[in-house]
Amino acid sequence: MASAKIKKGDQVIVLSGKDKGKTGQVVQSLPKADKVVVSGVNIAIRHKKPTQDAPEGGLVRSEAPMHVSKVAHVVDGKPTRVRFEVRDGKKVRVAVKGGEVING
């Protein structure tokens, strides 16, 4: 299995779709489905019936997964690709623009 270029906790920008240009943090990564969940982006609205747990019911808004190809890392507010390098004997993720190491 290949190493993930985008992981949980990364700051990303949306490249396409209705939320193009929005930035957020990766809340969840779903590598088997090639999807990520980004905070505040791709909000899905679900109609929920009232239950004993939630007697109100109504509309519930939550972040839906989006394909990993629709997001990119952010460096100085602009998207960048990610490459892998070996530094000090460890494999690390490096931003192509700027060459800085991405934590995680």
Side-chain angles (χ1 to χ4, degrees):
M1 188 176 211
S3 296
K5 293 190 176 187
I6 296 179
K7 297 182 177 182
K8 181 178 175 180
D10 290 346
Q11 194 69 20
V12 294
I13 188 167
V14 180
L15 300 175
S16 64
K18 63 179 181 176
D19 294 319
K20 180 178 178 177
K22 289 185 181 178
T23 60
Q25 194 170 17
V26 176
V27 178
Q28 184 181 15
S29 177
L30 307 166
K32 288 184 179 177
D34 285 335
K35 293 181 183 273
V36 290
V37 178
V38 182
S39 63
V41 176
N42 198 25
I43 302 296
I45 301 172
R46 298 280 181 254
H47 298 263
K48 294 286 185 178
K49 281 186 173 180
T51 61
Q52 284 187 336
D53 295 336
E56 301 281 314
L59 301 177
V60 177
R61 290 171 170 78
S62 63
E63 293 109 1
M66 62 191 318
H67 200 268
V68 72
S69 67
K70 289 184 169 237
V71 298
H73 277 278
V74 175
V75 173
D76 299 328
K78 293 185 178 179
T80 182
R81 292 175 315 219
V82 176
R83 72 169 165 253
F84 292 99
E85 290 182 3
V86 176
R87 292 190 180 178
D88 300 326
K90 292 188 97 177
K91 184 178 177 183
V92 293
R93 296 181 300 156
V94 178
V96 172
K97 290 182 183 173
E100 60 188 50
V101 175
I102 299 167
N103 295 333

